[in-house]
Amino acid sequence: SGATHSCALSAAGAVRCWGANFHGEIGNGTKVAAPTPVDVVGLDSGVVAISAGNSTTCALLNDGAVKCWGSNFGGSLGIGTLDDATVPTAVVGLSGVRAISGSGGHQCALQTGVTGAQCWGQNALGALGSGDSEKAVAPQPVVDLPMMVDAISAGRLHTCALIGGNAKCWGQNYSGELGNGGARFYLHPTEVLTGEPGSSSVDGSLAIEYYHPGLDHYF
């Protein structure tokens, strides 16, 4: 589920969505809301996973490609532009993807046989882990992750990765959601101090956003 829309994946690999459709997030080629599920254009089979952000939806195909649709604010579709898309559109520069996760205004992906992670979209508080706060209209590597990532989960304005039973997180940290003992946001992955080795999953938490005019950040 996104902020005001939801999607479902059938056993046959088809995607259907419903709800608000201000930016084309239900993927049926229109911007008209749907009170009942409608078919997503071109995705009647071959989809293995779906992930919804605020007004953005992405699908992982069985050939390792990723397609996204809906709001493209901040580049959250990863299609190389800032234009919204009312139908599924290929994320540029990605292949061999094995997992996706999206929330808020950014998305992340893991690739088969490739270390690290790729993220794209809004990045004001470092949710992409790129080492800066610039938005990305196409996938870019998360810095300081020179190892195989087991799982990834995107939160509202932060992201966490599971690596060999330990977790690293980056992005917003106003409420301590990075688990590193601090309360300032990070532009790169930081170790979760309270996590215990042997964890089997990681799930992004919901953050509360507010404006702090004097907040610093770490590099």
Side-chain angles (χ1 to χ4, degrees), residues 119 123 126-132 141-144 159 170-171 186-189:
C119 296
N123 193 33
L128 302 187
S130 57
D132 58 40
V142 176
V143 299
D144 300 333
T159 311
W170 55 93
Y186 279 67
L187 303 180
H188 60 84

Side-chain angles (χ1 to χ4, degrees), residues 131-152:
D132 58 40
S133 57
E134 298 297 319
K135 64 178 177 291
V137 298
Q140 59 182 15
V142 176
V143 299
D144 300 333
L145 281 182
M147 64 285 289
M148 193 63 67
V149 176
D150 300 312
I152 195 162

Side-chain angles (χ1 to χ4, degrees), residues 4 17-22 26 28 30-36 38:
T4 55
C17 298
W18 60 95
N21 196 27
F22 298 109
I26 64 175
N28 68 341
T30 76
K31 291 188 177 181
V32 178
T36 58
V38 297

